[in-house]
Amino acid sequence: MRDALARHDLLLCPTAHQAAPPIAAAHGVITSRHEVAGRFFTRRSYVTPAALAGLPAIAVPCGFTWSGLPLSLQLIGRSFDEATVLRAAHAYEQECEWWRRRPPGAS
């Protein structure tokens, strides 16, 4: 990532390999560590590499699946350049306005 950021101000990457689950997918109160692992750690996330590299990153809404579930992308910046990441995310959100939409079942 650092090599790519030497040539580019930001990297644009997916945050996950699939959309968010439906809100009703989480059933009831979590009662065990095993249940926590099953609900939260079985979904692959692509945000970990930026965090482990110590690079500033932000996830922003970027659309919806055909069934209306939200999708997002992440912007990753150079070390200690949070300002560029935040400016780019703000500009993207102002232009696209995905943040105004809500998935089915959300209030």
Side-chain angles (χ1 to χ4, degrees), residues 27-41:
H27 305 287
V29 176
I30 295 172
T31 58
S32 70
R33 288 183 180 188
H34 178 72
E35 195 172 351
V36 168
R39 284 200 200 177
F40 298 106
F41 300 121

Side-chain angles (χ1 to χ4, degrees), residues 2-107:
R2 291 185 191 276
D3 290 342
L5 287 166
R7 296 185 311 274
H8 306 284
D9 293 332
L10 293 165
L11 300 178
L12 185 144
C13 306
T15 57
H17 72 290
Q18 64 189 37
I23 293 171
H27 305 287
V29 176
I30 295 172
T31 58
S32 70
R33 288 183 180 188
H34 178 72
E35 195 172 351
V36 168
R39 284 200 200 177
F40 298 106
F41 300 121
T42 57
R43 293 183 46 80
R44 176 170 288 151
S45 171
Y46 296 147
V47 301
T48 305
L52 292 176
L55 299 173
I58 191 169
V60 293
C62 68
F64 291 85
T65 65
W66 287 108
S67 59
L69 297 174
L71 299 169
S72 64
L73 61 86
Q74 65 177 321
L75 299 170
I76 303 171
R78 295 178 179 142
S79 292
F80 304 106
D81 193 12
E82 289 85 353
T84 298
V85 173
L86 293 171
R87 278 195 307 271
H90 179 74
Y92 176 82
E93 285 190 332
Q94 295 305 303
E95 186 64 30
C96 297
E97 296 191 350
W98 287 114
W99 57 272
R100 291 186 185 272
R101 293 193 42 200
R102 298 286 182 260
S107 54

